[in-house]
C-alpha cells in the first residue's frame, strides 16, 4: 500500500490558481493544502510534512517590475535553503505559469550548477499582450521529467503576457536539450513543430519551449495550465467532439503523486 | 545630481535605476508604443525603446543599490541596467512619464517590498520608490511632436506628468531628476470649519455649488431647517458643537444624499402624462416597478436569499452554496481617466461581492462597455478623449483588474453609438459564491452590535476620489475634479480578499461592507443603521501621506478598503491574522446605539449627525414626465441585389463584429470552472451566447450568465428598448439550455439627466422614457418570472461644456444568470456536422427600426422590434426542454444584425456550409428576412435523426426549417428573387473579424 502523498499549494500575494491546483492534486489522489507563503516562511519545517510543493499561477505582486520577480526574490532570500533541502530530499516541485516564472527567476529552474543562478527567462510575448488561448503541446521524447512521464500530445490553455522562453545563450539551450530537461514544446494541431509560428507557439519562445525541468526531473515549470484541463468540460471543443471524462492535464498531477507514493 | 536632496524631501538621497532590453533584442513594449503612435496620431517614428525608471528615494548604500539593481530590477538574460547614469543611446528625444503626486503607484509600492526582501530591511515611512517610464524615440520627430505624443497618447495629464528632452539636453542633466519626486506637498489644514447656513437662498446654493456638494435647493433648505430645530440645537450645545454645521457634517450629508447613493430620481414622486394627456402619479419607480417585480416573482420562485438590502443580490446555488451577483457602472471616472476609472470599476464591484453577506468569493466578472466609434474623425469636444483612446484605456483597466485579481471574465459586450462620445459607459459585474452557512449560521445575515469595533482594512487613505459620489451625480463639466480619479490596485485588494475569507471562516467579524462611493462615511453610516449609531476617530485612520482634513479622511474614496464590525473578543485574533497576511487593519471606533454618527479628531467631537435625519431626512423629489411618442414614420423598404455583400457589411459593423482581440486578453479560465467559453467552435473563435461555469468541483451544477443591452432602440421607444434588453439576456441563456424560472436579473440604468431644468429642457421627455422603461422591466420580468436581485442607476450621463451638449441614449444593461442543473447538457452555437437540419425558431416581422442594416445606411427606421412575452415564454420553455433532451446540436441567439448574421456565425464557427431557403422565414422581402432584428428568435441545427422528435417538442411554437448544413465551404441562400446568393465561409468570417483586429 503506497503512502498518502501530501501536496502543499502556495497562496498569497496575488497567486490565484491555488484553488484549482489544490483540487487537481486532490483528484490525483493526494491530500492537498493551500498554505499562505508567510506561514511557510514563519515555519519552514512544515515542508517536512509534504512531498510535493506547487507554486501556482497568478499575478504575484501584480507582475510589477517583471512577472514573478518579486516573489522569486522573496522565496530565494527567505526560503532558499529550505527549498534546496526539499529537492535534495527527493521531493517534487511544480511551478505553473507565474509559478514557472518565479522558479526561473529565482534560479531554481533549470538549476544547472546547484546554485540559485538565473540561466533562462520568461518575458513579454512577441505579440506584446496577455492572451488566453488553448495550445497544443508535445511532451519531449527524451525528457526525464517525472511530471510528463508517459505523455505524448496534450491540449492546455495558456494565459499569460510574459511567457516567451529565452535561454542565456546557445550553450544553456544545448545543455537543456542534451540533458533531457526540455519537457514540453508548443506544437501545431497536427503534431508538427510550431517552429516559432504564432499562434501554435503563442509567445515566440525559443525552440518552442513550453516547460522545462531541473537535472533531477522532479522540479518542473511550465507556462500552460494543466490544472485547467482536469475535466472533459474544460476543453474548448467538448460540445463537438467525443472526449474522455477526465482532462489530460490531470495526468501531470497523477504522475507526481504516483512518483511520490512509490519513492 | 545623485545623492542630493530634493526640496521637501528632507535629507533622504535620491537614486535612479534604469532598466531596458539589451540593444540586440527586440523590445515588444517599444514596438507596441511605436505602432500606437502611428495608428492613433498618424506620426511615424523610426524606433521607440522603453526604459523602466525606478527612482529610489531611500537611504541605501552603494552596495545595496547595486544589489537591488542586479538582483531585483534587472533580468540578466535580456536586460541591461544602470545606476545613476543614462542607459538610452542612439535616440533623438526622450519622453519620460511618471505619476503626479499622490496618484497610486502600484509598481513603486511593489518595488519597495522587493527591496526589503533583497536588502533585508523594510523602507521607512519617509522612504519610497517611484516608477516612471522613459521612451527613447529615434527618427522623424521634433520636440513639439514628442510633446504631442506625450500629451495625447503616452500620458494622461490628469494623473501623470511628463518631460521631453532632446538627447543633447538629456546629457547635460545626466539623466537625473527629470520629473522630480512626486511628493504630496499640498496639505489641507486639520482645522474644522463651521458653515453658517442662516443665509439667503442664493447664498445657500452658492455653498452647494462651490463646495461640489451637488445638493439641490430643497435639500439645502432641509439641512438649514434641521440645524434650526430646537432639540438638535440643544443637544449640540451640550455636546460642545457649534449650532451651525461643521464642514464634515455637510460633506457627510451631501454624499449620503447624493443621487449616486440615495437614488433620488428612482424614489421621486413622478407625475406622468401619457400621449393622450392622461396624468397619473407614480410614487417611486423603484417601489412601483423594480421591487414590485421581485415581490411578485418571489411568490413563484423559492431560491431568493437576500435581495436589495446588501451590496449584492444573493440567491441559492445548491443545498450548500449561495450565489451573489452585482453589476456597477463607473462612467464618469472612466471618461476622465479610462484606465484608472475602469480598473477601479472592476475591482470596486469585486468588493461589492466580497462585502455581500459575510463575504463571498468572487468567481467571475462580466464587462460591458459603450463607446462612440473608434474610427471617429470629427473634432473632439473639450476635455473629452478620442473614443479609441477611451476604448483602449477602459479595456486595459478591466483586463488588468480582472486578470490580476484572478477572477475570470465570463461574459460581456462592446456596444457602439455616436452619443457615447459624451460619456462612455463602463459596466462591471461580478458573481460570487459563499457557503450557505458559516460556523453554523446563515451566511447572508450580518449585523454589527453596539460595542463591536469598527475596523478598516486594506489600503490607506489619500485624497483620491474625494467627491466621487457627488461628482458622478453631475454632468461632466469644466470643473470636474481631478481628484475624482482613482487607480485601483488589484494586488492590495487580492491580499485583503484572501485574508478576509480566512477571517470569515474563523468567525472573526460580525459585519462587512465595502468602501466605495463616499468612503468611510458611507460604509460606516450604512453599517451603523444596524446598531443605531457609531463613534469614529478619524485621526486613527492610516494615511498615504499627511495633510488630509478630517472630512477628507472620512469621504476619501481611496480604493481597496473594507469596513468591518469586529466583536471586541475577536479583536486580537483579527488583527493578528491581518499582520500575518500583511494586510493593514486599524480600529477606528465602535458601533453604538446612541442614534448618532459621531466623528472625533484627536479626541475632540467635530461632527455628529442624527441617524434618522442622515438616512431619511432627504426630501422626496417631485418630478414631471411627459410622453410624446416619436412621430410615426413608415418603414423604409430597401431592395438589394447583393445580399451577400450586405451580409458581409453587417457582419463587419461595429456592433456585430468579433471582439476577440479584446476578449482574448481577459483570463477567462482561471479557477478552472469554465464550461462554455466566449469563443466556441472548431477554431475557438465563434461568438458564444452565454458563459457557463461549474463552480463547485465534482458537481455538475452550473451557472449561465448573459447580458442584454439595446440602446439603439431608445430613440424609437424606451419601452421596447427595455423589452429587447430583457429578452436578449434571456434568450442568450435559453440558447445554451437554461430554463425559465431559474433566471435572476440585474438592472443597471444609465440615463441622461431626466430632470427638467434650464440645462435640460427636455427633461420631462427623458423622464417619461425612464417611466416607460421601468414599466417594460416590470412587464417582461414578471412574464418571464425573473426576480430583480440587485441593480443600480447612473442618472447624469451628459456632457456639457460651452454650447456643446451630448446626452447618451437611455441605456439599460440587463444582466441575467441562471442555475443549470447539469452542465454536460448545454449546447454551443457552432454547427456540428454536415447534413443537419437548420431551423429558425420564433417569428420574423418587418422590424427594421434600429437595425444594424439601416444604421449602415445612416437610417434609424421606424418599426422598433417588439416582444410578445407570452409567446416567447412558451417558446423558451419548449426549446430548453428540447436542449435538455439532447435533441439540439447547436443553438445561437438572433440579435444584432438579424437572422443572416446568426446563420453565418453558426456556419463559419462550425466550419460547415449551409443551404438556406429564405422563403421559409415567412416574410416577403429578403432584406427583412435576413436583417430584421425581431426578438425571441434562434438559429438551431438538429441532427437528421432527431428532426422529428425536435419538431414534435417544438410543436405549438413558431419555427421553420430553412435548410441543411453542408460539407462545402459555401454559405448559400436561396432568395425570394429565385436566385442563389453565396459566399465562402472564409470571406464571411474575415468580414466579421477584420473590423476590430488589433
Amino acid at each position: 500500500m503506497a503512502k498518502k502523498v501530501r501536496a502543499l499549494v502556495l497562496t498569497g500575494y496575488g497567486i490565484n490558481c491555488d484553488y484549482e491546483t489544490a483540487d487537481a492534486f486532490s483528484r490525483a489522489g493526494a491530500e492537498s493544502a493551500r498554505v499562505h507563503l508567510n506561514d511557510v516562511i514563519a515555519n519552514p519545517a512544515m515542508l517536512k510534512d509534504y512531498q510535493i510543493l506547487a507554486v501556482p499561477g497568478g499575478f504575484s505582486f501584480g507582475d510589477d517590475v517583471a512577472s514573478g520577480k518579486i516573489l522569486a526574490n522573496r522565496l530565494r532570500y527567505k526560503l532558499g535553503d529550505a527549498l534546496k533541502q526539499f529537492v535534495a530530499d527527493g521531493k517534487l516541485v511544480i511551478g505553473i505559469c507565474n509559478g514557472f516564472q518565479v522558479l526561473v527567476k529565482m534560479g531554481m529552474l533549470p538549476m544547472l550548477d546547484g546554485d540559485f543562478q538565473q540561466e533562462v527567462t520568461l518575458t513579454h510575448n512577441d505579440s506584446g499582450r496577455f492572451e488566453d488561448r488553448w495550445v497544443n503541446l508535445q511532451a519531449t521524447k527524451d525528457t526525464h521529467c517525472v511530471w510528463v512521464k508517459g505523455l505524448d500530445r496534450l491540449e492546455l490553455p495558456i494565459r499569460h503576457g510574459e511567457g516567451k522562453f529565452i535561454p542565456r545563450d546557445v550553450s544553456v539551450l544545448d545543455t537543456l536539450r542534451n540533458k533531457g530537461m526540455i519537457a514540453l514544446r508548443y506544437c501545431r494541431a497536427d503534431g508538427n513543430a510550431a517552429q516559432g509560428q504564432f499562434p501554435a507557439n503563442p509567445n515566440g519562445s525559443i525552440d518552442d519551449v513550453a516547460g522545462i525541468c531541473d537535472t533531477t526531473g522532479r522540479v518542473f515549470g511550465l507556462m500552460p495550465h494543466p490544472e485547467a484541463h482536469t475535466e472533459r468540460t474544460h476543453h474548448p471543443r467538448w460540445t463537438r467532439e467525443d472526449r474522455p471524462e477526465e482532462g489530460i492535464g490531470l495526468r501531470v498531477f497523477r504522475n507526481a503523486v504516483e512518483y511520490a507514493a512509490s519513492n | 545630481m545623485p545623492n542630493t536632496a530634493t526640496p521637501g524631501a528632507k535629507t533622504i538621497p535620491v537614486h535612479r535605476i534604469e532598466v531596458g532590453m539589451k540593444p540586440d533584442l527586440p523590445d515588444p513594449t517599444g514596438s507596441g508604443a511605436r505602432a500606437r503612435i502611428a495608428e492613433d496620431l498618424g506620426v511615424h517614428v523610426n524606433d521607440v525603446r522603453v526604459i523602466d525608471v525606478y527612482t529610489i528615494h531611500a537611504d541605501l548604500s552603494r552596495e545595496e543599490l547595486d544589489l537591488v539593481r542586479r538582483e531585483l530590477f534587472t533580468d540578466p538574460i535580456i536586460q541591461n541596467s544602470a545606476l545613476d547614469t543614462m542607459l538610452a543611446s542612439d535616440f533623438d528625444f526622450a519622453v519620460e512619464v511618471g505619476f503626479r503626486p499622490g496618484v497610486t503607484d502600484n509598481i513603486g509600492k511593489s518595488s519597495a517590498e522587493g527591496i526589503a526582501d533583497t536588502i533585508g530591511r523594510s523602507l521607512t515611512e519617509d522612504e519610497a520608490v517611484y516608477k516612471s517610464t522613459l521612451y527613447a524615440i529615434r527618427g522623424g520627430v521634433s520636440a513639439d511632436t514628442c510633446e504631442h505624443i506625450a500629451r495625447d497618447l503616452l500620458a494622461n495629464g490628469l494623473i501623470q506628468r511628463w518631460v521631453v528632452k532632446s538627447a543633447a539636453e538629456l546629457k547635460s542633466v545626466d539623466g537625473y531628476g527629470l520629473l522630480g519626486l512626486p511628493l504630496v506637498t499640498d496639505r489641507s489644514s486639520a482645522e474644522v470649519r463651521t458653515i453658517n447656513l442662516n443665509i439667503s437662498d442664493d447664498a445657500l446654493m452658492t455653498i452647494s455649488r462651490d463646495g461640489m456638494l451637488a445638493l439641490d435647493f430643497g435639500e439645502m433648505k432641509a439641512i438649514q431647517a434641521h440645524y434650526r430645530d430646537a432639540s438638535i440645537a440643544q443637544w449640540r450645545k451640550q455636546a460642545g458643537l457649534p449650532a451651525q454645521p461643521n464642514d464634515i457634517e455637510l460633506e457627510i450629508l451631501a454624499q449620503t444624499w447624493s443621487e449616486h447613493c440615495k437614488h433620488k430620481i428612482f424614489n421621486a414622486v413622478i407625475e406622468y402624462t401619457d400621449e393622450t394627456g392622461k396624468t397619473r402619479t407614480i410614487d417611486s419607480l423603484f417601489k412601483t416597478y423594480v421591487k414590485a417585480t421581485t415581490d411578485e416573482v418571489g411568490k413563484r420562485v423559492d431560491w431568493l436569499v437576500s435581495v436589495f438590502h446588501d451590496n449584492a443580490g444573493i440567491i441559492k446555488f445548491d443545498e450548500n452554496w449561495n450565489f451573489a451577483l452585482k453589476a456597477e457602472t463607473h462612467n464618469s471616472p472612466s471618461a476622465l481617466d479610462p484606465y484608472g476609472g475602469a480598473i477601479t470599476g472592476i475591482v470596486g464591484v469585486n468588493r461589492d461581492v466580497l462585502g455581500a453577506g459575510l463575504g463571498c468569493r468572487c468567481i467571475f466578472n462580466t464587462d460591458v462597455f459603450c463607446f462612440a466609434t473608434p474610427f471617429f474623425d470629427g473634432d473632439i469636444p473639450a476635455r473629452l478623449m478620442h473614443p479609441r483612446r477611451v476604448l483602449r484605456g477602459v479595456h486595459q483597466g478591466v483586463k488588468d483588474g480582472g486578470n490580476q485579481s484572478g477572477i475570470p471574465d465570463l461574459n460581456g459586450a462592446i456596444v457602439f453609438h455616436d452619443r457615447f462620445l459624451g460619456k462612455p459607459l463602463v459596466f462591471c459585474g461580478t458573481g460570487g459564491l459563499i457557503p450557505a452557512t458559516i460556523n453554523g449560521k446563515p451566511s447572508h445575515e450580518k449585523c454589527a452590535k453596539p460595542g463591536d469595533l469598527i475596523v478598516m482594512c486594506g489600503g490607506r487613505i489619500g485624497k483620491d476620489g474625494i467627491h466621487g459620489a457627488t461628482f458622478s451625480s453631475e454632468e461632466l463639466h469644466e470643473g470636474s475634479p481631478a481628484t475624482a480619479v482613482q487607480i485601483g490596485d488589484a494586488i492590495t485588494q487580492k491580499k485583503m480578499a484572501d485574508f478576509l475569507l480566512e477571517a470569515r471562516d474563523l468567525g472573526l467579524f460580525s459585519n462587512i461592507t465595502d468602501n466605495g462611493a463616499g468612503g468611510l462615511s458611507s460604509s460606516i453610516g450604512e453599517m451603523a443603521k444596524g446598531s443605531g449609531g457609531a463613534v469614529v476617530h478619524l485621526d486613527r485612520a492610516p494615511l498615504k501621506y499627511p495633510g488630509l482634513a478630517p472630512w477628507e479622511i472620512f469621504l476619501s474614496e481611496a480604493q481597496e478598503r473594507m469596513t468591518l464590525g469586529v466583536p471586541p473578543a475577536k479583536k486580537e485574533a483579527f488583527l493578528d491574522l491581518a499582520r500575518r497576511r500583511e494586510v493593514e487593519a486599524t480600529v477606528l471606533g465602535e458601533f453604538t446605539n446612541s442614534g448618532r454618527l459621531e466623528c472625533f479628531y484627536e479626541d475632540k467631537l467635530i461632527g455628529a449627525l442624527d441617524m434618522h435625519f442622515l438616512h431619511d431626512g432627504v426630501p422626496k423629489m417631485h418630478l414631471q414626465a411627459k410622453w410624446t411618442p416619436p412621430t410615426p414614420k413608415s418603414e423604409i423598404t430597401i431592395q438589394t441585389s447583393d445580399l451577400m455583400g450586405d451580409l458581409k457589411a453587417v457582419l463587419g459593423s461595429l456592433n456585430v463584429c468579433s471582439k476577440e482581440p479584446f476578449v482574448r486578453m481577459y483570463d477567462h479560465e482561471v479557477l478552472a470552472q469554465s464550461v462554455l467559453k466566449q469563443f466556441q467552435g472548431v477554431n475557438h473563435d465563434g461568438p458564444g451566447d452565454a458563459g457557463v461555469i461549474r463552480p463547485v468541483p465534482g458537481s455538475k451544477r452550473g451557472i449561465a450568465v448573459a447580458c442584454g443591452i439595446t440602446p439603439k432602440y431608445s430613440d424609437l421607444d424606451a419601452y421596447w428598448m427595455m423589452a429587447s434588453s430583457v429578452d436578449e439576456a434571456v434568450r442568450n441563456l435559453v440558447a445554451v439550455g437554461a430554463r425559465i424560472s431559474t433566471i435572476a436579473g440585474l438592472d443597471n440604468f444609465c440615463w441622461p439627466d431626466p430632470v427638467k431644468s434650464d440645462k435640460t429642457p427636455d427633461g420631462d421627455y427623458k423622464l417619461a422614457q425612464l417611466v416607460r422603461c421601468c414599466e417594460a422591466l416590470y412587464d417582461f420580468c414578471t412574464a418571464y418570472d425573473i426576480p430583480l436581485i440587485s441593480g443600480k442607476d447612473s442618472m447624469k450621463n451628459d456632457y456639457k461644456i460651452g454650447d456643446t451638449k451630448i446626452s447618451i441614449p437611455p441605456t439599460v444593461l440587463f444582466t441575467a444568470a441562471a442555475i443549470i442543473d447539469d452542465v454536460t447538457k448545454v449546447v454551443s452555437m457552432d454547427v456540428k456536422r454536415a447534413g443537419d437540419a437548420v431551423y429558425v425558431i420564433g417569428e420574423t416581422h418587418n422590424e427594421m427600426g434600429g437595425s444594424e442594416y439601416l444604421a449602415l445606411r445612416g437610417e434609424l427606421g421606424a418599426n422598433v422590434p417588439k416582444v410578445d412575452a407570452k409567446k416567447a415564454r412558451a417558446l423558451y420553455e419548449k426549446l430548453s426542454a428540447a436542449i435538455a433532451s439532447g435533441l439540439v446540436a447547436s443553438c445561437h441567439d438572433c440579435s444584432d444584425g438579424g437572422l443572416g448574421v446568426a446563420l453565418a456565425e453558426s456556419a463559419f464557427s462550425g466550419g460547415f456550409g449551409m443551404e438556406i431557403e429564405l422563403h421559409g422565414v415567412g416574410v416577403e422581402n429578403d432584406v427583412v428576412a435576413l436583417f430584421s432584428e425581431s426578438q425571441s428568435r434562434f438559429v438551431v441545427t438538429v441532427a437528421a435523426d432527431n428532426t422529428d422528435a425536435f419538431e414534435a417538442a417544438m410543436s405549438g411554437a413558431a419555427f421553420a426549417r430553412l435548410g441543411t448544413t453542408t460539407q462545402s465551404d459555401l454559405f448559400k441562400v436561396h432568395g425570394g428573387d429565385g436566385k442563389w446568393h453565396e459566399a465562402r465561409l472564409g470571406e464571411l468570417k474575415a468580414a466579421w473579424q477584420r473590423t476590430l483586429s488589433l
Side-chain angles (χ1 to χ4, degrees), chain B residues 454-458 540-542 574-575 583-589:
Chain B
I454 299 170
V455 179
M456 181 186 100
C457 75
R540 296 180 192 168
F574 184 90
L575 296 178
V583 173
E584 191 156 6
T586 315
V587 178
L588 297 182

Side-chain angles (χ1 to χ4, degrees), chain A residues 13 16 20 38-39 59 62 64 69 73-74 76 118 121 130 132 134 159 233-234 237-240, chain B residues 71 75 110 117 580-582 664-665 667-669 671-672 674-675 677 684 694 828 830-831 910:
Chain A
Y13 297 103
N16 63 33
E20 61 267 38
N38 287 357
D39 289 351
F59 270 86
D64 296 341
K69 185 71 183 184
N73 269 16
R74 185 158 295 186
R76 179 176 146 197
Q118 190 178 338
T121 197
F130 179 102
D132 177 333
W134 280 65
R159 312 190 304 250
T233 54
H234 285 142
R237 297 186 310 277
W238 74 269
T239 58
R240 52 185 298 123
Chain B
E71 300 296 329
D75 185 325
S110 295
D117 288 337
R580 287 190 284 127
R581 298 297 174 248
E582 282 187 60
R664 279 254 170 259
M665 288 194 248
D667 188 329
H668 45 264
E669 295 179 275
L671 304 182
S674 148
V675 172
K677 307 179 207 299
H684 321 161
R694 55 194 297 184
S828 55
D830 47 308
V831 169

